[in-house]
Amino acid sequence: MALTASPAEQRLLLDVQAHDTALQQLAHRERSLPERTRVDELKAEADVMREFVVQRRGELEDARLELQRVESDVSLVEARIARDGDRMQASSSVKDIAGLEHEVASLTARLSDLEEIELGVMEKVETLENELQSAQSALDAHLEQLAAAEAARDTALAGIAEEVAAARAARAEVAGRVPADLLALYEKQRERYGVGASHLRARISSASGVELTGSDLAAVRAAAPDAVILCPDSSAILIRTDESGL
């Protein structure tokens, strides 16, 4: 048996469709929110900056360990030089003193090399410390910027959520006045084709944007006012009003 509903009940579907369209637009706004995009960009940049900080921190730790090893070597050589010096002072053997002097000379050359290495490592440590401090400061400032962007995003999302809640409430109020079988057909067509109701205005279906052909227009004209008919192009429920041009 063909579905029927009064013209007034059918026209309610245009309001339901308007709310559904608004909800779709709000969902699109939420997905493409500039504030959300900005947060994603800042998070990606923060990840790169964190990686740089971790890398510099690791390099600094390695350099400090290297410096400790060189300092330990310097201390050992200095101790050996001091010990050989004491032994020379205490020795009366020309041969022993000559051997000690040769060893001290070798140790002194080794100490000079180590001190040069130590200076280079110290400079490396200082450079890495400065780079790490600069990178950490930049990261901290960036994280503050990210926090502000997240707050702006959350505010925007909260605003959209309020609009969604209002649109859903308004839709529920209108849908509650639509006969159950008519609403079920609307939901079915909307799920299948994306649009549940189409306003026929000046012989053009709003859902398809196409003017009805002569035969389709004749069929619509012949349909009873309470007959529920579908748009031949969009398959949405075709809503006839005084603007339909029939």
Side-chain angles (χ1 to χ4, degrees), residues 12-28 164 167-172 174-175 183 186-191 194-197:
L12 289 174
L13 291 179
L14 293 178
D15 292 332
V16 176
Q17 180 63 69
H19 291 308
D20 283 333
T21 299
L23 287 168
Q24 289 175 339
Q25 292 171 343
L26 287 169
H28 176 73
V164 168
R168 285 177 177 169
R171 183 196 192 278
V174 177
L183 184 62
Y186 167 85
E187 298 289 9
K188 178 182 177 181
Q189 300 306 102
R190 185 172 70 90
E191 182 177 353
V195 180

Side-chain angles (χ1 to χ4, degrees), residues 45-60 126-144:
E45 292 170 2
D47 289 341
V48 173
M49 296 174 75
R50 284 193 188 94
E51 184 177 352
F52 183 80
V53 167
V54 170
Q55 179 183 353
R56 280 296 177 269
R57 185 175 288 117
E59 291 176 356
L60 177 58
E126 183 179 2
T127 298
L128 288 171
E129 285 176 341
N130 291 335
E131 290 182 356
L132 176 59
Q133 182 180 3
S134 176
Q136 186 63 58
S137 297
L139 175 59
D140 292 342
H142 187 81
L143 291 177
E144 290 181 2

Side-chain angles (χ1 to χ4, degrees), residues 50-116:
R50 284 193 188 94
E51 184 177 352
F52 183 80
V53 167
V54 170
Q55 179 183 353
R56 280 296 177 269
R57 185 175 288 117
E59 291 176 356
L60 177 58
E61 290 174 358
D62 291 343
R64 284 172 173 169
L65 289 174
E66 183 182 0
L67 180 59
Q68 290 176 3
R69 288 192 295 268
V70 174
E71 288 174 340
S72 177
D73 291 342
V74 168
S75 297
L76 288 174
V77 172
E78 288 176 339
R80 288 182 62 184
I81 291 175
R83 183 194 64 188
D84 287 350
D86 292 340
R87 289 174 62 188
M88 282 191 293
Q89 292 293 330
S91 177
S92 58
S93 169
V94 174
K95 182 179 179 180
D96 289 345
I97 291 174
L100 289 169
E101 287 177 342
H102 178 72
E103 183 175 347
V104 168
S106 296
L107 289 172
T108 301
R110 172 60 177 160
L111 179 61
S112 177
D113 291 340
L114 287 173
E115 288 176 339
E116 185 174 350

Side-chain angles (χ1 to χ4, degrees), residues 186-245:
Y186 167 85
E187 298 289 9
K188 178 182 177 181
Q189 300 306 102
R190 185 172 70 90
E191 182 177 353
R192 284 184 176 180
Y193 306 108
V195 180
S198 177
H199 187 187
L200 181 62
R201 182 185 291 116
R203 303 178 184 180
I204 297 175
S205 169
S206 63
S208 66
V210 175
E211 183 175 359
L212 268 60
T213 63
S215 58
D216 289 334
L217 189 59
V220 171
R221 284 172 173 163
D226 63 349
V228 177
I229 57 179
L230 301 181
C231 171
D233 295 302
S234 68
S235 295
I237 298 172
L238 195 63
I239 308 300
R240 293 160 288 168
T241 67
D242 293 339
E243 302 176 58
S244 296

